[in-house]
Amino acid sequence: MQLTGAEIVIECLKEQGVDTVFGYPGGSILNVYDELYKHQDEIRHILTSHEQGASHAADGYARATGKVGVCLATSGPGATNLVTGIATAYMDSIPIVAITCNVGVSLLGKDSFQEVDITGITQPITKHNFIVKDVEQLADTIRKAFVIAKKDRPGPVLVDIPKDVTSNKAEYQRQEIQPVYSGKDICEEDIETAIKLIKESEKPYIFVGGGAVLSGASEELYTFVKKVDAPVTDSLMGKGAFPGTDPLYTGMLGMHGTKTSNYGVSECDLLIVVGARFSDRVTGNAKKFAKNAKILQFDIDVAEMNKNVLITEGVVGDIKEILKILNSRLDQQEHKSWIQRISEYKEKYPLTYHPELLTGPYVVEEIYRQTKGDALIVTEVGQHQMWAAQYYKYTKPRTLLTSGGLGTMGYGLGAALGAKTGRPEKTVVNIAGDGCFRMNMNEIATAARYQIPVIQVVVNNHVLGMVRQWQNLFYGGRYSATVLNDSVDFVKLAEAMGAAGIRVSTREEFKEAFAKALSMNGPVVIDCQIDSDDKVWPMVAPGAAISEAFDEKDLNEKEADA
């Protein structure tokens, strides 16, 4: 059957089972939007307030559902506005397909109105990208884009389509989509070596990253942890792959990880790394990282082996498949004295915060209590993000959605809209700082337009909290461009955009406000007034080893001694 390029785009999305897309129309993509109008009963379109919001929404949808997220934008500034969201997805290995339309083929390369080389711009931040200049190639290219986004280590793919290609016709034949297998042949010798290292270890530690979430390996990971009988730490992206309520769990690792995890990893004799890439925020000084340990790494991407930290042995393959094999062959291990030592660290170095004031940690813990740990928590980037990682106990994968690798301020609200759209049965809470909220707070209007009931909690300290924390600790208290004391009223702003707004300054007020927000069937903004000098503890200074983690008590003692 002969179809236009625009019709082929929509038919291919339907082939892939796409039920929701996020985007913003414009001249070059008008043909696609016209076709989308005709299929609005089959594919829901969410019109965001900005294309960046659309890319983050596609990302949040993908993280929450495990499916490929889709966003649409027109040429020129429409396409470039997607770039930050695409880079965010790339750094965290999130499968999205971004479809942009460009000026006609005859106008390419001529500095035409709203022309930009979006494939050139996004080449370093996509798994692959395409410009389709022949309508005959369009269907196969879109299909290929979805396969690439999902296969092996996931990631974003961009397809750019000149406007005349969307109006030209080609023969289209519907295809049944085959399941994408991400497994690689796992080396038998590497498995045997891994088992040998585990059996020889007396003080093993298991470090879980985002790969365990992406591979859907939670059950296999739980079995593996119990068989190895080892304490567990995770990265920001690994949250929920192993239950945060389990006695073997010791909290996050790295710059704002727990002292227990940082000290334990520094003392272990075998670090088993499950789908993590040794980010600098995790390792601190890489030369001093886990210096007493042999390192055994499981990862689907061979490029991650020996990239940031030299390892002893690696097993390349899908995390789920690797763990299945190891679980079937590994004898039950026992490390009572090691587990006891780590338990003593947990008792000695608990996370603490001010017992009476409204603080970020209290806000996160109250959200945990009222949602019974069953919400989808989305965050922006900064202090509130670290508090959300530290104080909410994630027991299931895909329940913390946050920009880990790129650290994108303005990520959370769009991602929350995508998450709630993909998982409408879940309570979705976006936790933001006031600095981050300002970046893309226009998406509250999107939430109101579609009555998407996300709860936006703004931890409002009137400063750029994390940057100010660094300025306080390492820059002599010179608060250059980090103070946000002005007249912006987030409650009035929420109401002006069609949402509910509540301001709180005490624990009791927040408790009541959040309970009210849970009962409302619409978007709510809760403005939480906290102190400007609240800090995230513990902390590892830049360039230091993670074994040198310190907290407020350590800092006060050091200043007293000086």
Side-chain angles (χ1 to χ4, degrees), residues 226-368:
K226 297 300 178 178
K227 271 208 164 187
V228 177
D229 192 32
V232 180
T233 182
D234 54 20
S235 69
L236 189 63
M237 303 310 300
K239 290 284 173 190
F242 185 80
T245 51
D246 192 278
L248 289 174
Y249 179 70
T250 63
M252 194 166 61
L253 183 67
M255 179 173 282
H256 293 294
T258 62
K259 281 189 173 183
T260 302
S261 293
N262 285 344
Y263 292 171
V265 165
S266 298
E267 293 175 20
C268 73
D269 64 7
L270 176 67
L271 183 63
I272 305 169
V273 184
V274 184
R277 60 183 179 83
F278 297 109
S279 160
D280 57 290
R281 282 297 196 264
V282 161
T283 63
N285 187 326
K287 292 178 181 176
K288 297 179 180 179
F289 179 74
K291 62 181 184 296
N292 298 311
K294 293 179 179 178
I295 297 178
L296 172 61
Q297 183 178 7
F298 307 150
D299 207 287
I300 199 166
D301 189 352
V302 69
E304 292 299 339
M305 305 287 180
N306 295 308
K307 186 176 86 174
N308 296 328
V309 170
L310 292 176
I311 65 172
T312 309
E313 186 61 53
V315 183
V316 178
D318 184 85
I319 297 298
K320 191 182 184 82
E321 298 305 315
I322 292 170
L323 293 179
K324 277 183 182 177
I325 295 168
L326 290 173
N327 289 340
S328 68
R329 299 192 196 177
L330 191 63
D331 298 328
Q332 182 63 48
Q333 307 296 299
E334 189 176 290
H335 304 103
K336 281 185 180 177
S337 59
W338 174 236
I339 297 293
Q340 179 60 33
R341 178 168 176 78
I342 298 303
S343 296
E344 289 168 2
Y345 274 152
K346 286 175 74 172
E347 289 178 21
K348 187 176 180 181
Y349 302 116
L351 293 171
T352 60
Y353 60 91
H354 196 287
E356 296 170 2
L357 300 177
L358 181 65
T359 62
Y362 173 82
V363 165
V364 173
E365 286 198 331
E366 185 59 29
I367 292 170
Y368 177 77

Side-chain angles (χ1 to χ4, degrees), residues 442-507:
N442 48 3
E443 297 305 339
I444 289 293
T446 307
R449 179 187 299 119
Y450 295 99
Q451 279 301 292
I452 302 172
V454 295
I455 301 174
Q456 170 65 66
V457 175
V458 183
V459 181
N460 189 351
N461 54 8
H462 301 279
V463 294
L464 300 179
M466 189 60 87
V467 185
R468 179 187 174 91
Q469 178 167 331
W470 279 50
Q471 288 172 333
N472 180 273
L473 295 174
F474 311 119
Y475 290 85
R478 295 181 294 278
Y479 301 123
S480 176
T482 53
V483 178
L484 304 177
N485 268 331
D486 52 30
S487 301
V488 177
D489 186 325
F490 292 144
V491 171
K492 287 181 179 177
L493 185 140
E495 292 170 348
M497 291 193 189
I502 309 170
R503 182 173 296 106
V504 300
S505 57
T506 68
R507 290 182 171 207

Side-chain angles (χ1 to χ4, degrees), residues 421-436:
T421 304
R423 300 287 306 278
E425 78 285 3
K426 303 293 284 187
T427 296
V428 176
V429 183
N430 182 45
I431 303 174
D434 49 320
C436 289

Side-chain angles (χ1 to χ4, degrees), residues 168-188:
N168 294 341
K169 288 192 172 184
E171 190 68 25
Y172 167 80
Q173 186 71 42
R174 180 180 171 83
Q175 292 186 10
E176 291 300 317
I177 301 305
Q178 300 302 313
V180 175
Y181 176 63
S182 287
K184 284 185 168 70
D185 291 333
I186 296 168
C187 177
E188 176 65 26

Side-chain angles (χ1 to χ4, degrees), residues 393-429:
K393 296 180 178 67
Y394 302 93
T395 57
K396 296 174 184 174
R398 302 191 180 279
T399 51
L400 174 62
L401 284 54
T402 190
S403 172
L406 196 64
T408 304
M409 293 176 70
Y411 164 80
L413 185 49
L417 298 179
K420 184 65 178 177
T421 304
R423 300 287 306 278
E425 78 285 3
K426 303 293 284 187
T427 296
V428 176
V429 183

